[in-house]
Amino acid sequence: MALRLVQVNFKARDDSALGRFWAEALGWGVSSEGPGVTNLEPEGFAWPDPDAFYIDLVAVPDPETVKYRVHLDLATTSAAHQAELVARLKELGATPADVGQGDVPWTVLADPEGNVFCVLEPREIYRDTGPIAAVVVDCADPRAMARFWDEALDWTLHEVTDDHARLRAAKGVGPYLEFLRTPGAPTVWNRIHLDLLPDPIDDQAAEVARLRTLGATTADVGQGDVSWKVLADPEGNEFCVLGRG
């Protein structure tokens, strides 16, 4: 049995419009599995190819003023690429964001629905990740989060300190999953969350049971009767274990 992080899921007021922004930002393709759902995939890949990473956007009304605990870091290859990407993202509708970052070499932006993300300066560690360098989760205890997610996923733990932890797919493809020590507990459900895919998919129930033994808890975000199971990690960050359907 194995679980892998297959995609991030955005809750959006307008999934189609936000999907167009992120597709243009990443250079990815756009599809839809039904009304209110927009799917993004790297060119040349089809979900759920294990060598790729995906984004789903789902239309769900929710308040504009929330504290997000999950964000994306985008990779660049040079200072010129970083500047060009920031300028292009602004043309697409991104706006500068201040999250208290101060004087840093990366640029913090918000997408058209206010989701904060970072355009990183060139870093050697992210040279082969593709456009998304990392999915970053704010947390109180990176070491504890690393223990949970290292056991939860069929991924490799690359680094762990009191302030930061980093995992990546065992194949060395796609973005990193990172945990950054940040004061403050979540007060609302996340608008961006992780989706995990069992392999084989029929092992969903067994994987959910295994995650609960690791410290995950059942979460209710109003999902109703659906094929996926919504859980929360030990710090309360919701994630989904996908199933057949």
Side-chain angles (χ1 to χ4, degrees), residues 67-70 137-140 145 148-149 179 185-186 188-190 192-194 216-217 219 230-240:
K67 175 175 172 54
Y68 306 118
R69 300 253 297 175
V70 182
V137 182
D138 293 346
C139 66
M145 292 289 276
F148 172 81
W149 284 100
F179 299 95
V188 296
W189 54 274
N190 291 324
I192 302 175
H193 71 257
L194 311 178
T217 54
V230 184
L231 302 176
D233 70 20
E235 289 203 10
N237 299 297
E238 296 90 5
F239 65 94
C240 295

Side-chain angles (χ1 to χ4, degrees), residues 119-226:
V119 181
L120 302 179
E121 75 285 3
R123 301 184 191 181
E124 179 64 18
I125 192 173
Y126 302 131
R127 63 181 172 79
D128 63 349
T129 62
I132 302 177
V135 180
V136 183
V137 182
D138 293 346
C139 66
D141 188 345
R143 289 188 182 277
M145 292 289 276
R147 284 193 297 272
F148 172 81
W149 284 100
D150 186 35
E151 293 188 57
L153 293 174
D154 185 25
W155 279 30
T156 301
L157 181 62
H158 286 267
E159 176 187 348
V160 60
T161 70
D162 289 343
D163 295 318
H164 184 249
R166 178 183 286 127
L167 301 92
R168 196 183 188 195
K171 286 186 174 183
V173 296
Y176 287 82
L177 175 61
E178 303 187 4
F179 299 95
L180 183 65
R181 189 169 68 86
T182 306
T187 56
V188 296
W189 54 274
N190 291 324
R191 284 185 62 188
I192 302 175
H193 71 257
L194 311 178
D195 281 347
L196 310 185
L197 182 67
D199 183 20
I201 197 165
D202 290 332
D203 283 347
Q204 181 197 47
E207 288 293 348
V208 167
R210 184 176 67 86
L211 290 165
R212 286 177 175 149
T213 69
L214 297 177
T217 54
T218 302
D220 186 349
V221 294
Q223 67 268 21
D225 184 17
V226 292

